Amino acid sequence: MKTEFKKVHTYKDLIISSLILLAGVGLFFISKGGGIAVMLCGAVLFMVYKSGYKREGDNTLLKKSELELCGHDKAALLSFLEGKSNEVELHYGHEGGTLLLTVWHNDLLPIAWAQLMEYHEQTFQPITEIIKLNDNQTQKIIAKL
């Protein structure tokens, strides 16, 4: 079964959109045109500004972090993600190629998923599927983000 994530609103997204919408309402009494423009901006922001993620079938709110890492660390990262190694060192840069480590995680709960990709032919090609990390791996990877 393929793991997929959908973008969702976070509390911060809703607060920002609401504040802009309310600022538009307040401005409407001073300048109708300006107030309407700001209210429209708040309404559009409410519809499109989503910075959180949720996994299909789960209600846990997650954040997405992406790290560009050196290609020399490919074997060590694969070993860590597969659970063969307990330690991981992240070296930022582009020596030996570029790897993209995408991690969806929750800061309060020990929950995380990760996917490793390699830059090849002008795009990032997946090396692994999206992998659920265990508690130990989750704590180590979040500490390095």
Side-chain angles (χ1 to χ4, degrees):
M1 183 172 113
K2 187 173 181 178
T3 303
E4 293 188 21
F5 296 93
K6 63 179 181 173
K7 291 189 88 159
V8 295
H9 292 288
T10 63
Y11 293 115
K12 188 190 307 183
D13 302 339
L14 297 174
I15 290 170
I16 291 170
S17 301
S18 299
L19 288 175
I20 292 174
L21 194 59
L22 290 174
V25 170
L27 186 59
F28 179 77
F29 294 109
I30 298 169
S31 168
K32 288 186 182 184
I36 291 172
V38 173
M39 281 191 288
L40 285 175
C41 289
V44 169
L45 193 63
F46 180 76
M47 289 186 286
V48 297
Y49 185 50
K50 298 176 180 180
S51 62
Y53 290 85
K54 286 190 179 178
R55 189 172 64 93
E56 296 284 329
D58 191 3
N59 286 332
T60 305
L61 187 61
L62 304 168
K63 291 187 339 186
K64 181 179 179 181
S65 300
E66 294 182 327
L67 305 169
E68 288 188 12
L69 306 168
C70 292
H72 294 304
D73 297 333
K74 181 177 176 180
L77 282 168
L78 283 172
S79 176
F80 177 76
L81 291 175
E82 292 170 354
K84 296 175 184 173
S85 171
N86 289 330
E87 295 298 322
V88 64
E89 288 294 323
L90 303 178
H91 299 105
Y92 301 97
H94 305 284
E95 294 177 26
T98 303
L99 300 174
L100 179 69
L101 179 64
T102 306
V103 180
W104 293 269
H105 59 93
N106 185 305
D107 291 334
L108 303 175
L109 302 172
I111 297 173
W113 284 266
Q115 182 177 30
L116 187 63
M117 294 188 247
E118 184 174 33
Y119 190 73
H120 184 65
E121 296 181 6
Q122 307 298 321
T123 60
F124 283 103
Q125 305 291 328
I127 296 173
T128 65
E129 295 293 322
I130 297 174
I131 299 169
K132 184 173 182 359
L133 302 177
N134 63 37
D135 293 349
N136 186 30
Q137 290 173 313
T138 299
Q139 291 171 356
K140 289 184 182 190
I141 203 78
I142 289 176
K144 300 208 184 250
L145 293 179

